[in-house]
Amino acid sequence: MTTKFFRQTHQILAIAAISTFGLLSTVSHAATYKLDPHHTAVRFSVDHFGTSTNAGGFYNLDGTLEYAPERQQGFIGLTIPIANLSTGIKAFDDHLKSEDFFNIARYPTAYFKSTNWQFAGNKVAAVTGDLTLNGQTNPVTLIATKFNCYDSPILNAEACGGDFTTTIDRTKWGMDTYTTGGAMKDIKLVIQVEGSKVADLN
């Protein structure tokens, strides 16, 4: 069997998996990009009782990006495996994964699904969507700090992606541990997404 066949089969299976979680959009005539887990991550930082900053991230994410710049439309569907959380400190990771915070035994996965894209001129400015975390869904707005498409010499395909930032109130997702003791509830997120264009399977 040809390399092209295996590539197309992988693309079909990947899109089917994402569709299972309702993370495919209905944006018509948009190019579709399979997100690259090596260039897609969610990193967070939070004030630690006014003394220092704790930071970490979620890696090996899966998802899809759709982009139609000529109509100023787009879509991001992102699956976030909470079990992949990493701060570089195992004891801290274990605490964050416990019932005090992310409770991965009950909610091992989080999801983001965009509902609207905003443009400033011909540039992506912001993406609004719903974040499902700890079994609760709330709207968030991601501010684009950069977004671009290019021909990847490594992937031999067009790639699109960008960096986004937002700040969320963790208590809206049921994480209020230590907030009465002075721990901040606001979490800064930096989201990196990049994917390669899915070839026409026809």
Side-chain angles (χ1 to χ4, degrees):
M1 296 184 180
T2 66
T3 301
K4 181 179 179 181
F5 172 81
F6 284 111
R7 185 182 300 113
Q8 291 179 343
T9 300
H10 173 75
Q11 291 169 348
I12 292 171
L13 292 175
I15 293 173
I18 296 167
S19 180
T20 300
F21 295 105
L23 297 179
L24 282 177
S25 79
T26 56
V27 176
S28 60
H29 306 294
T32 300
Y33 304 81
K34 176 70 176 65
L35 294 183
D36 177 2
H38 300 295
H39 292 91
T40 301
V42 175
R43 298 177 177 89
F44 64 86
S45 59
V46 57
D47 176 86
H48 189 242
F49 296 94
T51 59
S52 59
T53 301
N54 285 333
F58 303 95
Y59 304 94
N60 294 316
L61 279 59
D62 194 11
T64 188
L65 165 70
E66 297 178 19
Y67 189 46
E70 67 282 358
R71 290 189 304 284
Q72 295 198 337
Q73 293 181 330
F75 174 80
I76 296 175
L78 194 60
T79 300
I80 307 168
I82 302 300
N84 289 344
L85 181 154
S86 177
T87 65
I89 304 170
K90 185 179 184 305
F92 189 30
D93 293 349
D94 291 342
H95 190 196
L96 290 176
K97 294 175 184 179
S98 73
E99 293 181 1
D100 283 346
F101 294 98
F102 290 102
N103 194 4
I104 69 167
R106 186 173 182 184
Y107 305 109
T109 308
Y111 306 97
F112 175 79
K113 179 179 181 179
S114 69
T115 55
N116 187 42
W117 283 42
Q118 294 89 48
F119 287 73
N122 61 353
K123 299 290 187 180
V124 178
V127 172
T128 301
D130 294 322
L131 175 63
T132 300
L133 176 67
N134 279 14
Q136 302 181 44
T137 301
N138 291 288
V140 298
T141 297
L142 311 181
I143 303 302
T145 58
K146 64 171 68 175
F147 192 92
N148 189 42
C149 297
Y150 69 101
D151 291 326
S152 172
I154 298 174
L155 301 174
N156 291 319
E158 183 184 57
C160 283
D163 291 337
F164 301 84
T165 64
T166 192
T167 299
I168 65 172
D169 176 352
R170 62 186 172 99
T171 63
K172 291 183 177 181
W173 286 268
M175 289 186 285
D176 57 4
T177 302
Y178 301 141
T179 54
T180 58
M184 296 297 292
K185 62 182 181 179
D186 290 337
I187 310 294
K188 181 179 179 180
L189 302 179
V190 176
I191 300 96
Q192 170 195 13
V193 297
E194 186 173 327
S196 59
K197 190 174 183 179
V198 176
D200 185 355
L201 303 180
N202 294 324

